[in-house]
Amino acid sequence: MALTETQVEDKIEIVGDHKNIQIRTATVIARDGTEISRSFHRHVLACSTKSDDTWADTDISSESTEVQAICNAVWTDAVKTAYQTAMDAQEI
C-alpha cells in the first residue's frame, strides 16, 4: 500500500484588462495509483509590483516555465503601463 503525493498546475487563467495570471495547483494523494484525495491552492500574479514609489516587473523566476511563458507573452509594456497607471490612480 504505497501512498504518493503529486502537485500539478491544472488551471492557468488570464483575467481582466491588466492580464492578471491566476494559477491553480492541485495536490493529489493516491494509494496504489488510485486517487484518494485532491486539494487546491491558488495564487495570482500581477504584472508589476511597487516598492518605495518605484514600479518593477513582477519576479516570476520561481514560477513554472509554462507560467513564465504566458506572463512574458501577455505582459506587454502597454499592459504594464496601464496597470501601473490604474494602481497609481487608486492611491490618494
Side-chain angles (χ1 to χ4, degrees), residues 8 10-11 24-28 35 38-42:
V8 60
D10 67 336
K11 187 178 283 191
R24 182 176 82 175
T25 303
T27 301
V28 180
E35 182 178 321
R38 180 179 290 250
S39 61
F40 301 102
H41 169 79
R42 292 179 181 268

Side-chain angles (χ1 to χ4, degrees), residues 15-42:
V15 181
D17 293 336
H18 302 123
K19 311 297 185 207
N20 289 332
I21 308 297
Q22 293 185 152
I23 300 106
R24 182 176 82 175
T25 303
T27 301
V28 180
I29 308 294
R31 179 183 299 130
D32 298 325
T34 302
E35 182 178 321
I36 60 172
S37 175
R38 180 179 290 250
S39 61
F40 301 102
H41 169 79
R42 292 179 181 268

Side-chain angles (χ1 to χ4, degrees), residues 11-16 18-24 42-47 60 63 66-75:
K11 187 178 283 191
I12 302 170
E13 301 171 306
I14 303 166
V15 181
H18 302 123
K19 311 297 185 207
N20 289 332
I21 308 297
Q22 293 185 152
I23 300 106
R24 182 176 82 175
R42 292 179 181 268
H43 68 282
V44 178
L45 300 172
C47 60
I60 57 174
E63 301 296 331
E66 183 176 16
V67 170
Q68 288 180 30
I70 293 168
C71 292
N72 290 328
V74 300
W75 289 348

Side-chain angles (χ1 to χ4, degrees), residues 53-86:
D53 290 331
T54 303
W55 284 101
D57 290 349
T58 297
D59 180 9
I60 57 174
S61 62
S62 64
E63 301 296 331
S64 69
T65 55
E66 183 176 16
V67 170
Q68 288 180 30
I70 293 168
C71 292
N72 290 328
V74 300
W75 289 348
T76 63
D77 288 339
V79 167
K80 293 175 192 176
T81 299
Y83 175 77
Q84 293 165 6
T85 301

